[in-house]
Amino acid sequence: MKLTKYQLFWLLFTMESGMTLLIAIGPVFKEANQGAPMAVLLAGGLSVLMTLIAAKLSLLYPNDTFIEYVPKIVGKWLGYMIIMAYLILWIGVAGIVLRQYADFVQMTLFMRTPVWVIVLFMLFVIIYAVHGGIHIIGRCSEVIGPIIVINLVLFRLLTIKDLRPERLLPLLPAGGLIPVLKGSLPGASFLGESVMIVMLIAFLAEKKRAVSSGLWSVGIAAIVLLNVTLDVLMILDNTVPAKLQYPVYAVSQYISVMEFIQNLDILLVVGTCFSVFIKICLYMFMASYGTARLFHMQKWRNMLWITGLSVLAVALYPGNVDVTQVNFPHFWKNVVLPIFLFGIPLLLWVIGIARKYLKQTDAKAP
Amino acid sequence: MLNKCLGVLTAILLLLPLTGCWDRHELNDRLFEFGSGVDRLKDGEIMLTGQFLIPTNSKEGGGGAEKSYLIETGVGKTVSDCLFDMQLKLSRRITRTHRHNIYFGEKMAIAGISDLMDSVTRDPDSRLKSDMWVVKGGTALEFMEISYPLEKLPVIALSKLRNIIGKKTGNSLLELLIEEHVEGSGLTLPAVEILYDPKQRKKTIHVYGRAVLNRKQQLAGYYDSMESAYRLWVTGQTNRVPVTVPLPDGRGTFSVDVRQTKCKVRTKFERDRVEIEVDMKGGAVVLESIPAIDLRNINQLNKFEAELNRHVETAILNVIKKAQQQFKVDVFQFGKAFSRQHPSEWTDLDSGWEQAFSDAKITVNSHVKIRRIGLQGPPPNKP
């Protein structure tokens, strides 16, 4: 299982651009209001920083995945605890994202189809892809990523005539910097998922390119998010997006060029499906491969069925959309972002560097 | 071998969901609603009117003798109530994804439309692109029953009409949502009326202008068509304004079409009073001149230009004064401009903008240039 640098780039970019555009923009506007573009810019910067730390951490042990090098850095027992927490987190987020996707698709396309059917069929496709291994997911993303880019460019061109540039000003709202900082967190919590690079660099063929591929993908995803945020701001102004479930969906329905290019929401739905596919594939792979490595199992693919069932259970658990779209993002923003996406990788990196310098202790480590 | 068999079996089984039969939307079971109307009944209930495309007739091309549309009503306490009631009369499922226009009867508008919006913005099938109208002096049902020979669906007529008279996009729903969040900003909806022509013995539709709603989303008054055109010029949402200018000393009138309309709003905050300066710009084309004057003479042209600008200035000032004195809400997005130009003062003022706007000192400067005079110098038919 090998990944090329392009595959890494497309993997991260595709994964970041779908649900982020759909769900993250509303909360950003809710906090930052007029300062939403600034908040997204800040979020982009933060997530690039987080990705850089994660990449540097992985490059300390370029041929090991997260599962293998964490015990080397902090010792066996603490390492296992950290890894367990991450594995549970990955399964959880895969399930919730699957449900978010299912809720969205059910609302827009399949009113009468039960949620479990949508979830199950998506899961089948995902398991099929993950079964092939990380390089298969990588190749999928190389096909899907450009399709998403085409969709984005299409939206960019078609919304131009409805934009009201004067709505961009002032860039910084009267409320000051605090709302902007708060508003950057929902964005950063979505973009920061690229920290999963800690599991991917081990598969990368050219290790030297890891940092640049990772940072470019996150940076471009952030630019895409910024672009769409500007679009939403210039069309819906600064208060309406915060009150809508899916502001981007509203914008896509709003597009009408020459009275016959209309109802383009379907492009958005398809783009979201693709992106979610890659995202859940990645989390499923990381969870299955990680668990197998943790318990020293020979065939990681056998783990896939167990993680698949767990993801299915998580996806079917929530009773309503508030759990997946309000409570979980809230938890993700307040707990996962500071601890799992930022805190732990940073600590590990610092400790890892310290160990590299103190070679004696390094030699004694298991 | 077993694996291969399993694979083939799965492949065949997977063909079944491919048909997507679970959520099939047969066209034969659908009824497309292109416009809806809401009226208030006496006892506080509302009546929803829908105009639907009759499926079989729509293929034969527009303007035939047969009606290509169907009107049905439903009564209830909420919009969904009404929809359910309406569905009880219809054999096909009401599909609202193609709805362009929503009409409110005058009584409904006076009572307030704020409670009706929820179903519009909540429904995934409903588009933010909808255009909403107030039927001046009538009910939505009356309006929707008028047949319109040029369009297959009479409700579509207004969307096209609006485009032709110069409004850039028909999106009064979204505008309403946005304005609602700006403190002190007035909401406006385009208004249409029903005219009865006794000579031709027929009713027809006529765009009246703009209905102004107060902060409670209740009807506060109307702007007529000319006032609305000037308002759109100030808010930058139109690309042409036709102006007829009377010359002083009873020398007659001349008409121009102002294009490339632009407007710049500058706000000031001095001695606890808001000052608003409005700069109008545009290029005019002379359409008609009653006085027999040779406009190839630059002096005459300059005189016309000065008259035109004077006229535009007073007209726009009157339109703004009407809002200040009669409606007492800001329908020109001045509040937004003020918040952009003076963010800190805006936060101090915020909830007081309605009053601040009513007391504001308004200056209008018009710098319209006459760009073209048409095919003639002096009128060829006069000596």
Side-chain angles (χ1 to χ4, degrees):
Chain A
M1 291 193 288
K2 281 282 171 210
L3 279 178
T4 67
K5 58 184 178 183
Y6 296 112
Q7 281 170 345
L8 183 69
F9 169 83
W10 284 117
L11 268 176
L12 291 176
F13 169 78
T14 315
M15 171 214 71
E16 301 241 290
S17 50
M19 272 295 158
T20 315
L21 296 182
L22 206 58
I23 299 182
I25 289 181
V28 170
F29 272 96
K30 195 175 171 190
E31 299 286 353
N33 229 299
Q34 182 69 41
M38 288 282 277
V40 168
L41 212 59
L42 207 62
L46 271 177
S47 44
V48 165
L49 182 69
M50 287 191 281
T51 316
L52 181 68
I53 292 173
K56 287 282 181 199
L57 166 65
S58 295
L59 287 176
L60 291 180
Y61 302 90
N63 292 318
D64 290 347
T65 63
F66 191 65
I67 308 298
E68 289 141 353
Y69 65 66
V70 169
K72 287 184 191 168
I73 295 177
V74 291
K76 209 169 184 185
W77 289 107
L78 189 58
Y80 280 178
M81 270 162 64
I82 292 176
I83 291 167
M84 281 305 278
Y86 270 93
L87 288 174
I88 292 170
L89 190 72
W90 289 338
I91 290 177
V93 67
I96 295 289
V97 170
L98 190 58
R99 179 56 179 265
Q100 286 170 344
Y101 148 82
D103 279 333
F104 177 65
V105 170
Q106 191 192 27
M107 187 200 73
T108 52
L109 294 178
F110 305 118
M111 297 285 186
R112 283 177 290 173
T113 313
V115 166
W116 66 266
V117 175
I118 305 176
V119 166
L120 203 63
F121 280 104
M122 188 61 163
L123 203 57
F124 276 146
V125 185
I126 289 168
I127 290 179
Y128 180 70
V130 177
H131 196 264
I134 187 74
H135 52 296
I136 300 294
I137 311 175
R139 276 181 220 159
C140 285
S141 74
E142 270 182 309
V143 177
I144 289 172
I147 295 178
I148 290 181
V149 171
I150 291 171
N151 273 358
L152 286 164
V153 171
L154 204 63
F155 270 94
R156 166 77 283 141
L157 294 176
L158 293 177
T159 50
I160 283 178
K161 81 178 184 59
D162 288 314
L163 301 180
R164 303 277 302 267
E166 73 270 16
R167 290 197 172 130
L168 284 180
L169 296 170
L171 281 175
L172 195 66
L177 266 175
I178 301 298
V180 173
L181 288 175
K182 273 187 178 172
S184 71
L185 291 182
S189 73
F190 274 85
L191 289 174
E193 285 180 73
S194 53
V195 167
M196 62 161 66
I197 201 168
V198 292
M199 280 296 282
L200 301 178
I201 284 182
F203 301 105
L204 196 65
E206 306 162 78
K207 309 285 182 208
K208 279 180 199 160
R209 297 285 169 178
V211 174
S212 76
S213 280
L215 295 194
W216 271 110
S217 60
V218 180
I220 289 178
I223 289 169
V224 163
L225 183 65
L226 179 67
N227 163 47
V228 176
T229 308
L230 290 175
D231 243 23
V232 170
L233 179 63
M234 282 191 275
I235 292 175
L236 302 180
D237 210 3
N238 58 20
T239 38
V240 178
K243 300 199 169 183
L244 300 174
Q245 285 277 40
Y246 309 106
V248 178
Y249 184 63
V251 168
S252 75
Q253 288 183 324
Y254 187 77
I255 292 174
S256 163
V257 178
M258 294 179 282
E259 295 292 322
F260 71 88
I261 303 178
Q262 284 175 333
N263 297 356
L264 291 178
D265 34 328
I266 192 64
L267 286 179
L268 183 78
V269 177
V270 170
T272 310
C273 291
F274 279 162
S275 161
V276 163
F277 167 72
I278 294 294
K279 190 171 192 167
I280 303 174
C281 274
L282 275 173
Y283 277 120
M284 289 266 293
F285 171 78
M286 283 154 52
S288 321
Y289 188 81
T291 325
R293 272 299 153 100
L294 185 66
F295 296 115
H296 301 292
M297 289 159 71
Q298 285 303 308
K299 290 182 177 169
W300 67 271
R301 285 186 174 86
N302 292 341
M303 264 319 286
L304 190 56
W305 303 105
I306 298 171
T307 42
L309 277 177
S310 326
V311 167
L312 181 66
V314 175
L316 294 181
Y317 170 72
N320 54 40
V321 289
D322 282 358
V323 178
T324 52
Q325 283 177 24
V326 181
N327 299 359
F328 186 77
H330 207 253
F331 162 75
W332 190 263
K333 187 182 86 183
N334 294 333
V335 180
V336 178
L337 174 66
I339 298 175
F340 290 91
L341 299 187
F342 190 70
I344 294 180
L346 182 66
L347 274 178
L348 289 176
W349 183 46
V350 171
I351 299 172
I353 288 181
R355 289 220 160 186
K356 287 252 155 170
Y357 277 113
L358 305 169
K359 282 206 171 153
Q360 300 141 327
T361 35
D362 203 9
K364 277 181 204 165
Chain B
M1 192 59 206
L2 185 70
N3 255 342
K4 223 173 212 175
C5 276
L6 266 176
V8 170
L9 197 68
T10 344
I12 292 172
L13 278 177
L14 278 176
L15 282 178
L16 289 176
L18 261 186
T19 56
C21 278
W22 214 306
D23 254 299
R24 68 185 197 284
H25 303 309
E26 293 285 342
L27 215 51
N28 291 340
D29 303 328
R30 301 247 136 190
L31 191 56
F32 288 100
E33 183 182 19
F34 278 79
S36 48
V38 192
D39 283 310
R40 192 180 159 85
L41 301 178
K42 272 173 194 153
D43 45 3
E45 288 198 313
I46 54 175
M47 181 174 75
L48 190 70
T49 313
Q51 197 174 81
F52 304 97
L53 184 72
I54 295 180
T56 43
N57 287 357
S58 60
K59 285 172 199 155
E60 296 159 11
E66 258 180 286
K67 268 215 278 189
S68 55
Y69 62 93
L70 166 81
I71 287 177
E72 203 51 84
T73 61
V75 179
K77 285 208 162 44
T78 64
V79 175
S80 345
D81 251 10
C82 300
L83 259 180
F84 185 67
D85 190 42
M86 198 193 286
Q87 184 72 72
L88 294 177
K89 302 171 186 171
L90 296 167
S91 62
R92 292 167 177 232
R93 179 178 287 273
I94 301 170
T95 308
R96 311 186 90 193
T97 40
H98 291 264
R99 182 180 53 185
H100 287 262
N101 291 310
I102 306 170
Y103 302 94
F104 297 112
E106 192 172 51
K107 286 206 182 100
M108 191 74 244
I110 289 170
I113 60 165
S114 58
D115 292 341
L116 302 171
M117 304 301 302
D118 196 86
S119 76
V120 179
T121 39
R122 193 181 292 277
D123 184 3
D125 276 349
S126 179
R127 319 258 129 169
L128 274 186
K129 192 113 199 152
S130 299
D131 213 3
M132 302 197 296
W133 298 74
V134 172
V135 181
K136 182 175 183 284
T139 64
L141 179 61
E142 274 170 20
F143 172 79
M144 288 166 80
E145 276 181 328
I146 296 172
S147 65
Y148 193 77
L150 295 178
E151 307 294 337
K152 269 183 278 180
L153 289 151
V155 283
I156 299 294
L158 279 181
S159 310
K160 291 193 175 176
L161 215 165
R162 211 171 169 202
N163 235 322
I164 287 172
I165 56 180
K167 177 79 163 70
K168 279 177 186 162
T169 34
N171 56 347
S172 51
L173 167 61
L174 182 61
E175 274 167 31
L176 187 116
L177 295 179
I178 290 172
E179 290 300 315
E180 178 59 38
H181 288 103
V182 183
E183 195 58 52
S185 185
L187 315 171
T188 64
L189 293 178
V192 67
E193 62 180 340
I194 305 162
L195 280 188
Y196 180 69
D197 184 346
K199 290 212 178 89
Q200 287 192 67
R201 275 192 245 108
K202 69 160 194 184
K203 280 183 184 173
T204 186
I205 57 175
H206 177 245
V207 174
Y208 179 78
R210 203 93 183 162
V212 177
L213 311 180
N214 62 17
R215 294 298 294 163
K216 288 175 195 154
Q217 301 190 10
Q218 293 160 330
L219 186 65
Y222 293 98
Y223 273 135
D224 69 22
S225 50
M226 211 46 234
E227 289 169 327
S228 316
Y230 284 129
R231 191 194 79 92
L232 289 181
W233 189 350
V234 175
T235 57
Q237 286 170 298
T238 184
N239 40 34
R240 58 176 281 236
V241 180
V243 185
T244 295
V245 186
L247 290 168
D249 326 322
R251 283 191 294 140
T253 57
F254 69 95
S255 299
V256 295
D257 203 18
V258 184
R259 291 168 196 173
Q260 296 106 38
T261 56
K262 278 200 190 79
C263 175
K264 206 174 227 171
V265 177
R266 271 195 300 267
T267 56
K268 263 190 273 176
F269 193 67
E270 268 177 30
R271 277 177 255 107
D272 289 345
R273 196 176 178 207
V274 178
E275 287 178 23
I276 300 169
E277 217 178 289
V278 187
D279 274 354
M280 320 298 297
K281 274 190 182 138
V285 178
V286 177
L287 297 179
E288 197 178 355
S289 159
I290 300 299
I293 284 170
D294 187 356
L295 286 178
R296 286 182 298 190
N297 181 337
I298 191 75
N299 290 332
Q300 296 288 1
L301 195 70
N302 286 344
K303 264 185 206 161
F304 265 43
E305 213 172 78
E307 269 325 308
L308 169 65
N309 281 322
R310 197 171 307 151
H311 180 76
V312 167
E313 277 169 15
T314 43
I316 284 175
L317 195 61
N318 285 337
V319 172
I320 299 175
K321 282 221 169 105
K322 192 170 173 182
Q324 283 183 307
Q325 289 156 10
Q326 197 180 327
F327 310 134
K328 301 214 181 328
V329 282
D330 165 21
V331 291
F332 303 94
Q333 296 161 11
F334 288 153
K336 204 74 190 154
F338 187 83
S339 74
R340 259 179 229 125
Q341 293 165 9
H342 309 281
S344 54
E345 278 95 337
W346 173 256
T347 30
D348 299 340
L349 204 70
D350 196 63
S351 53
W353 180 249
E354 246 167 300
Q355 194 54 45
F357 167 71
S358 295
D359 299 336
K361 184 184 163 205
I362 313 279
T363 342
V364 182
N365 303 312
S366 171
H367 310 285
V368 179
K369 293 259 184 300
I370 295 182
R371 302 267 182 223
R372 276 183 280 158
I373 59 170
L375 289 178
Q376 63 183 31
N381 66 330
K382 290 181 185 168

